Amino acid sequence: MQLLAAIDIGSNSFRLEIGQLARGRYKRIDYLKETVRLGAGLDADGRLTEAAQARGLTCLSRFADRLQGFGMQQVRAVATQTLREAGNRDAFLARAQDVLGYPIEVVSGREEARLIFAGVAHLQPSDRPRLVIDIGGRSTEMILGQGRTPRVAESFHVGSVSLSMKYFADGRFTARGFRAAQVAAGAELEEGLQPFAPGQWVEAMGSSGTVGAVSQLLAANRITDGAITPQGLRWCIEHCIEVGHQDALALPGLKPERRAVLGGGLSILYTLAMQFGIDALQPARGALRQGVIFDLADRLDAIAHPERATSRDMRERSVQELQRRFGADLAQAERVQALALSLHASVRPGRRIGASQPDEPVRELGWAAALHEIGMAVSHHDHHRHSAYLVANVDAPGFSQSQQRRVAELVLGHRGDLRKLPHLADETVAWQVLCLRLAALLAHARSDVPDGIASLERSARGASLHIDTDWAAGHPRTMHLLGEELQTWARSGRLKVELNGVG
């Protein structure tokens, strides 16, 4: 089995995990972690400072050295809350991807939560209803699930870095500071009181950095066996207040890099214990990075075995669920999808730099075709705009925010003015949009289009569309629309499209 790698670009730490899956069993090959404090580098305007960017780029450069020899399909990098927030994230991502050599996906809070649960569920399987909690630098994820299925997943905008910066900024620990931090954490987490109530789960597990650090601290000082309990948390908080400052913390089991964010982490953990009735939070083996690897393995399996795509690739299931939720005309979606993919197969340019898999442009085109009419659930008028808005903003498990935006742009471009598309200058996008528009026009009457009726070829000037002569004679309205489409492309200045060799 090939090696797979996951990069977790978190608000406090960056992590690289390299692993291998063989017959369902996971083996870690290597693990690198660096405390970058990217989340502490957001300025008053919500932009990453140059110093924070430099720390991140330096770390990613070291990760890139370790990943020498890995193919594009073997690596998946995800970024979380800080890059969901940062106003200059796109500029940083462009620099980061150049340094790393692999695309970086910004995932939504709920998608982050789903991946965290996947990591825990695979490495610590259980059929018992469980609550999984992950406290990051600027967000806290809570997931309720059973087996490998998450039932409720939420992300709350509070983390160990952000809370520590606000209530323990000078490194001082006071009772007043802890009370204020707990009130602030409770206000953020209050919306989860009902869905994550104690009666919904029988075991509680904590994933990743903050939970691991506090668990080690409690075990090393023989307060608990590693379980995080309300009594243990009170002991930690009282000790912090007693010593008065983070620099004075010298407890066994506490790593120096954790001192600056310990106050915020303890405040969130104690608030969770009190508000959600958690008597003992057990540290979990799995985390986001392993979830990313398992998800990547499923995607690769779906590519290798297309007949298993719906069961293995969460994105396929999300597309089907969106079609169902918004009442898409499935027959029409299939017509347009088949035509678009057929046209695209003969003109497809080289693989898009930045796509997370070799076949991603093709799959994105297929998803756009499948979803191009879901906006009709809002209004038939300008439905392409409604469809694009839904695709870009709806929760779609498996998709990163950047990939949702790419698919939404294709959906937006399937009809109307081409000038509204910000990335049409990208050759890959231009060919995707052209094939989707032509497919939608050819199938506009909502009747099947026989195989071989239309073909598309690259030409020196752009593209040449060939339509069967007999079919064209029997479909004058479609030919009229195709003629107008050629004029639209001519005005765009992007691709010169000719019909049967005649522009």
Side-chain angles (χ1 to χ4, degrees):
M1 294 293 291
Q2 66 177 335
L3 298 179
L4 299 177
I7 300 166
D8 171 6
I9 300 176
S11 298
N12 191 51
S13 302
F14 286 13
R15 295 175 170 89
L16 166 63
E17 173 126 355
I18 298 173
Q20 194 173 51
L21 276 167
R23 293 183 293 277
R25 297 182 64 85
Y26 178 71
K27 179 181 179 181
R28 176 191 278 182
I29 304 299
D30 201 0
Y31 174 57
L32 304 177
K33 173 189 172 185
E34 293 193 21
T35 302
V36 175
R37 299 272 165 76
L38 194 68
L42 286 176
D43 63 21
D45 296 321
R47 297 173 64 83
L48 283 172
T49 64
E50 184 57 37
Q53 293 186 58
R55 293 194 301 270
L57 295 174
T58 300
C59 174
L60 292 176
S61 177
R62 284 192 278 269
F63 286 0
D65 290 340
R66 178 61 183 86
L67 291 169
Q68 289 292 322
F70 277 68
M72 194 70 67
Q73 76 279 5
Q74 293 174 263
V75 180
R76 187 179 178 201
V78 300
T80 57
Q81 184 62 37
T82 293
L83 289 179
R84 290 197 286 266
E85 293 182 56
N88 57 342
R89 78 172 187 182
D90 290 342
F92 172 71
L93 285 172
R95 298 170 67 186
Q97 289 177 162
D98 284 343
V99 169
L100 182 62
Y102 299 91
I104 298 171
E105 307 172 32
V106 180
V107 294
S108 70
R110 286 182 175 174
E111 176 64 4
E112 180 183 355
R114 184 187 72 84
L115 292 169
I116 290 166
F117 190 84
V120 174
H122 277 77
L123 293 183
Q124 284 188 259
S126 172
D127 289 330
R128 305 176 74 194
R130 58 169 42 157
L131 172 66
V132 174
I133 294 170
D134 187 299
I135 300 171
R138 296 187 72 88
S139 69
T140 294
E141 281 66 49
M142 299 181 69
I143 313 98
L144 191 67
Q146 191 167 5
R148 293 188 178 180
T149 304
R151 298 206 321 266
V152 182
E154 291 292 349
S155 179
F156 300 92
H157 196 175
V158 60
S160 60
V161 171
S162 56
L163 211 60
S164 295
M165 289 176 63
K166 187 168 184 178
Y167 295 99
F168 310 100
D170 56 0
R172 288 171 51 83
F173 295 126
T174 66
R176 182 178 180 179
F178 274 104
R179 284 195 300 270
Q182 289 164 26
V183 169
E188 289 291 338
L189 296 166
E190 199 165 30
E191 291 184 9
L193 286 175
Q194 184 174 354
F196 300 106
Q200 303 295 326
W201 47 270
V202 297
E203 62 182 13
M205 309 190 74
S207 169
S208 205
T210 296
V211 170
V214 174
S215 173
Q216 291 171 17
L217 176 61
L218 292 172
N221 289 274
R222 298 183 179 180
I223 305 301
T224 73
D225 61 357
I228 299 175
T229 64
Q231 295 83 359
L233 291 168
R234 281 194 290 270
W235 178 86
C236 290
I237 291 171
E238 288 167 3
H239 183 81
C240 288
I241 295 171
E242 182 180 347
V243 301
H245 197 279
Q246 66 185 38
D247 293 342
L249 286 172
L251 290 169
L254 179 63
K255 296 178 181 178
E257 64 268 20
R258 274 284 158 190
R259 293 173 182 167
V261 297
L262 183 62
L266 289 172
S267 299
I268 296 171
L269 280 169
Y270 191 72
T271 302
L272 286 164
M274 293 296 98
Q275 289 193 178
F276 296 91
I278 303 173
D279 294 328
L281 185 69
Q282 301 292 340
R285 289 177 55 206
L288 172 64
R289 58 191 181 275
Q290 288 95 359
V292 170
I293 286 181
F294 299 136
D295 203 58
L296 177 58
D298 284 344
R299 292 183 179 189
L300 292 174
D301 184 74
I303 292 172
H305 305 281
E307 72 280 2
R308 300 207 294 251
T310 301
S311 63
R312 299 292 285 177
D313 191 331
M314 178 59 72
R315 295 171 298 178
E316 298 288 348
R317 279 178 273 171
S318 288
V319 169
Q320 289 189 354
E321 170 58 22
L322 291 175
Q323 288 181 314
R324 185 201 62 78
R325 187 191 309 178
F326 296 108
D329 181 340
L330 297 183
Q332 179 67 358
E334 290 173 6
R335 284 187 204 101
V336 173
Q337 185 181 64
L339 282 165
L341 294 177
S342 175
L343 293 170
H344 190 259
S346 60
V347 298
R348 181 189 176 195
R351 177 174 54 81
R352 180 214 303 273
I353 295 174
S356 58
Q357 296 294 340
D359 287 339
E360 292 297 85
V362 176
R363 304 188 77 193
E364 288 167 6
L365 175 58
W367 293 324
L371 300 173
H372 76 287
E373 288 189 336
I374 64 172
M376 285 188 176
V378 178
S379 173
H380 186 88
H381 178 67
D382 278 351
H383 72 265
H384 60 300
R385 297 183 184 276
H386 304 310
S387 297
Y389 179 84
L390 291 172
V391 171
N393 293 282
V394 74
D395 283 323
F399 284 93
S400 66
Q401 291 181 334
S402 51
Q403 188 165 60
Q404 279 188 245
R405 288 199 302 269
R406 288 200 298 272
V407 176
E409 184 173 351
L410 297 181
V411 169
L412 179 64
H414 88 267
R415 60 182 295 176
D417 192 346
L418 290 169
R419 292 173 295 182
K420 62 182 178 286
L421 304 181
H423 300 104
L424 196 62
D426 182 327
E427 183 187 19
T428 299
V429 174
W431 286 105
Q432 287 173 308
V433 170
L434 174 62
C435 293
L436 182 56
R437 290 172 71 95
L438 292 176
L441 288 177
L442 287 165
H444 79 102
R446 299 183 181 269
S447 57
D448 291 338
V449 179
D451 293 340
I453 290 300
S455 63
L456 193 62
E457 297 178 358
R458 283 175 172 260
S459 68
R461 304 176 66 187
S464 179
L465 174 65
H466 297 269
I467 303 293
D468 178 84
T469 304
D470 292 338
W471 190 88
H475 295 80
R477 298 182 185 88
T478 301
M479 298 309 296
H480 168 74
L481 293 174
L482 288 173
E484 290 188 332
E485 180 67 10
L486 303 192
Q487 295 176 28
T488 299
W489 281 96
R491 289 193 299 270
S492 76
R494 296 305 180 195
L495 289 175
K496 174 67 175 178
V497 186
E498 298 177 337
L499 179 59
N500 290 330
V502 180

